[in-house]
Amino acid sequence: MRFVNAGVLKIAYEEYGAGQPVVLLHGFPYDAHAFDEVAPLLTGARVIVPYLRGYGPTRYLRAETLRSGQQAALGADLLALLDALKIPKAVLGGYDWGGRAACIVAALKPERVSGLVTVNGYNIHDVPHALEPSLPENEYRYWYQWYFQVERGRAGLAKHRASLCKLLWQLWSPKWKFSDETYARTAASFDNPDFVDTVIQSYRARYGLTANDPAYEEWEQLLTKKPPITVPTIHLDGTADGVLFLGGTSGHRPLFTGRYEYRTIEDAGHNIPQEKPQAFADAVKALL
């Protein structure tokens, strides 16, 4: 475990090996342990695995900083981490929140990214159109997001964070038989004092239903234009992803204008790095 002050955070991160920089980024509700089996497979690379804002030992540096999980803040955190570690350019790999941060930096700061592995494709939210409904078969998958829009949901996450997040693991990765010990290692990260506030702000902000941190407004406005991703990209979808919209995300292809490859990972759910570490590692190695 290492720490570095980066932007508004004191970021906790794991580091493995030496060589070409690779940054691997987890999502909600997961943590850096998602890459425990991926990182050792990336021989010849310097692998950095941070805990995102609101998770594990990562902390906000100032009490007055808004506990925001908005997408631009996640991207800014990643860029600040690269700067703090003096990494001029890296391969980025991530899923869910982490995939969003990786996609944002790849889109807005492509000169800092040598390659991108993204689960579920173009992970940048289209906030201006977020209230347009999808098919009911898709909408029910996001029940937890509707729950988080109301104060009962905030209270439920605060009171039942371990059991609620475990339920999401089970629903999103129905073919993954993880142990209680595996889950407990990650669930400890949800005891971060800023976890609930950061998560709730994130899920409200993506629908434009709460105030954002003004510090990230310039990036938020740029993201409304759906900037293309020009860096070499490998896009992964799991065939058993319980939160993925019907039909997957192969339709995101036009938003990737550089070298691009789409791979489906058989029987993988939402947490591909932890469920199928070799497949995720193979995608990263293809960009090194």
Side-chain angles (χ1 to χ4, degrees):
M1 181 77 66
R2 299 183 180 186
F3 295 86
V4 65
N5 287 357
V8 301
L9 301 175
K10 181 178 182 180
I11 296 178
Y13 66 98
E14 309 283 353
E15 184 166 352
Y16 307 77
Q20 186 173 349
V22 173
V23 182
L24 304 177
L25 300 130
H26 70 83
F28 167 84
Y30 306 97
D31 77 347
H33 288 296
F35 298 99
D36 282 354
E37 294 182 56
V38 173
L41 297 173
L42 300 177
T43 55
R46 178 191 179 194
V47 182
I48 307 295
V49 188
Y51 289 81
L52 300 190
R53 55 169 58 203
Y55 294 79
T58 290
R59 294 290 185 271
Y60 293 90
L61 291 170
R62 291 177 291 277
E64 62 270 20
T65 300
L66 180 66
R67 273 44 180 171
S68 168
Q70 67 188 94
Q71 59 179 354
L74 301 177
D77 291 347
L78 173 54
L79 184 61
L81 177 65
L82 294 176
D83 289 343
L85 296 179
K86 297 180 170 57
I87 297 174
K89 201 168 190 176
V91 173
L92 305 180
Y95 67 108
D96 199 87
W97 286 27
R100 189 158 304 116
C103 283
I104 288 169
V105 173
L108 300 185
K109 295 290 181 179
E111 69 277 9
R112 305 297 297 273
V113 182
S114 51
L116 172 68
V117 175
T118 173
V119 175
N120 300 156
Y122 189 85
N123 269 315
I124 299 172
H125 289 306
D126 183 8
V127 177
H129 299 97
L131 294 180
E132 296 177 6
S134 182
L135 295 171
E137 294 88 345
N138 286 327
E139 297 282 31
Y140 93 93
R141 299 167 186 262
Y142 278 4
W143 66 269
Y144 67 100
Q145 296 191 20
W146 319 141
Y147 183 49
F148 291 161
Q149 301 308 312
V150 298
E151 287 306 296
R152 181 183 177 102
R154 177 193 292 273
L157 180 62
K159 183 175 182 179
H160 301 295
R161 68 189 74 188
S163 56
L164 191 157
C165 293
K166 188 174 186 179
L167 174 62
L168 294 179
W169 278 35
Q170 293 165 336
L171 293 174
W172 295 355
S173 301
K175 297 191 176 184
W176 182 33
K177 306 307 178 186
F178 57 88
S179 68
D180 289 342
E181 291 76 17
T182 294
Y183 180 70
R185 278 195 297 273
T186 287
S189 282
F190 310 150
D191 292 329
N192 182 301
D194 299 306
F195 175 74
V196 172
D197 286 346
T198 302
V199 169
I200 294 299
Q201 199 282 342
S202 175
Y203 285 102
R204 294 180 183 181
R206 67 187 60 193
Y207 296 101
L209 298 176
T210 193
N212 279 327
D213 188 331
Y216 306 112
E217 186 58 24
E218 181 180 356
W219 274 26
E220 289 291 351
Q221 290 304 314
L222 290 172
L223 296 174
T224 65
K225 303 180 188 303
K226 294 186 178 180
I229 291 175
T230 60
V231 305
T233 297
I234 296 178
H235 166 182
L236 308 177
D237 276 346
T239 64
D241 188 332
V243 75
L244 188 61
F245 271 20
L246 297 178
T249 55
S250 59
H252 292 188
R253 175 65 181 92
L255 293 164
F256 297 93
T257 59
R259 180 163 62 89
Y260 172 89
E261 182 181 349
Y262 178 64
R263 300 180 182 181
T264 56
I265 311 302
E266 193 68 26
D267 294 333
H270 196 57
N271 184 7
I272 291 177
Q274 207 160 1
E275 298 174 57
K276 303 289 185 179
Q278 187 66 62
F280 195 91
D282 287 345
V284 174
K285 287 191 286 188
L287 296 171
L288 292 174

